[in-house]
Amino acid sequence: GAGVSQSPSNKVTEKGKDVELRCDPISGHTALYWYRQSLGQGLEFLIYFQGNSAPDKSGLPSDRFSAERTGGSVSTLTIQRTQQEDSAVYLCASSLVDRGTEAFFGQGTRLTVV
Amino acid sequence: GENVEQHPSTLSVQEGDSAVIKCTYSDSASNYFPWYKQELGKRPQLIIDIRSNVGEKKDQRIAVTLNKTAKHFSLHITETQPEDSAVYFCAAFFSGTYKYIFGTGTRLKVLA
């Protein structure tokens, strides 16, 4: 079946512009995560959605970052007034339940801020 | 706080030798510990996982061990092959906050 899908695959934007990154999780997966991976670095937790519960936004680095998940499925991560330090690969992952099962990753969106 | 430490950050081994990567976690309530492999330019993919009620799990050339008392777990790869070269991430699932927190990664190079 279809895996986690992210779009766009690559995004180049000018400093100061807003960007939206999209994640389509695996159908039926209630948990959705966003991570940021800077070049050669680890996976930095950004935000977590579980069903209809309030999202865990504790990893968002600044108020320029926000995310929403509509209808418990598709999620968008929005970065306002992008800065060069926002350049990274943004990975989305989804899992079936919230008790600890395999998280499946999308292919990521490579964001470059010039 | 929620933290996972991973060592070493880089590891080079000769083909056929074994590789060991170690992780520690901060929350004793963590109950699920996956390991992911990320090849260059690709997404992380699960290679093995272990739950807190198990001390060891093996799948062909890879194995994971868990010491709950010490709050650490390790990945063991035996008979390494060039295709094992990748970045490996450990993770802990924090059951109180439902978050996967990842280690900083280990870049493994298997030298032919």
Side-chain angles (χ1 to χ4, degrees):
Chain A
V4 178
S5 179
Q6 292 185 244
S7 61
S9 298
N10 285 283
K11 176 70 176 179
V12 180
T13 190
E14 292 182 351
K15 179 181 173 182
K17 295 284 181 69
D18 297 352
V19 294
E20 272 193 2
L21 313 180
R22 176 186 170 106
C23 173
D24 279 281
I26 292 173
S27 178
H29 279 194
T30 56
L32 187 149
Y33 303 80
W34 283 97
Y35 293 89
R36 180 170 68 176
Q37 187 173 33
S38 301
L39 186 63
Q41 300 299 309
L43 298 166
E44 177 189 4
F45 169 79
L46 297 178
I47 189 169
Y48 162 68
F49 295 90
Q50 167 55 24
N52 295 320
S53 301
D56 180 339
K57 305 178 181 180
S58 60
L60 295 178
S62 78
D63 59 8
R64 296 186 295 104
F65 288 71
S66 62
E68 62 178 22
R69 188 178 185 191
T70 54
S73 181
V74 172
S75 178
T76 55
L77 177 68
T78 301
I79 309 173
Q80 296 178 308
R81 305 182 302 281
T82 52
Q83 304 294 314
Q84 287 187 330
E85 59 263 29
D86 299 335
S87 297
V89 175
Y90 290 82
L91 288 160
C92 172
S94 72
S95 66
L96 188 58
V97 294
D98 61 2
R99 58 179 174 83
T101 58
E102 179 179 357
F104 293 84
F105 282 86
Q107 81 280 15
T109 294
R110 181 176 299 278
L111 175 66
T112 304
V113 182
V114 297
Chain B
E2 299 157 341
N3 188 45
V4 176
E5 294 189 358
Q6 183 172 348
H7 300 282
S9 56
T10 61
L11 179 60
S12 293
V13 298
Q14 289 293 132
E15 182 178 359
D17 287 350
S18 296
V20 180
I21 303 170
K22 299 181 179 181
C23 290
T24 59
Y25 58 98
S26 59
D27 184 1
S28 58
S30 297
N31 61 2
Y32 176 66
F33 307 91
W35 284 89
Y36 284 80
K37 176 183 180 181
Q38 187 178 31
E39 296 178 344
L40 189 62
K42 297 189 176 180
R43 73 190 75 188
Q45 293 195 304
L46 182 77
I47 55 170
I48 195 167
D49 56 14
I50 191 167
R51 296 197 176 275
S52 57
N53 59 347
V54 175
E56 183 174 359
K57 183 177 179 180
K58 188 173 181 179
D59 182 4
Q60 299 184 346
R61 295 187 299 108
I62 59 173
V64 58
T65 58
L66 171 65
N67 183 327
K68 285 182 60 179
T69 303
K71 292 188 287 186
H72 69 68
F73 57 113
S74 301
L75 177 71
H76 304 253
I77 307 174
T78 59
E79 301 171 27
T80 53
Q81 301 169 4
E83 53 264 37
D84 295 330
S85 296
V87 178
Y88 292 81
F89 291 99
C90 63
F93 182 78
F94 289 80
S95 56
T97 57
Y98 305 114
K99 286 192 295 199
Y100 291 93
I101 300 298
F102 285 82
T104 48
T106 296
R107 185 173 300 277
L108 174 65
K109 294 182 183 179
V110 179
L111 307 171

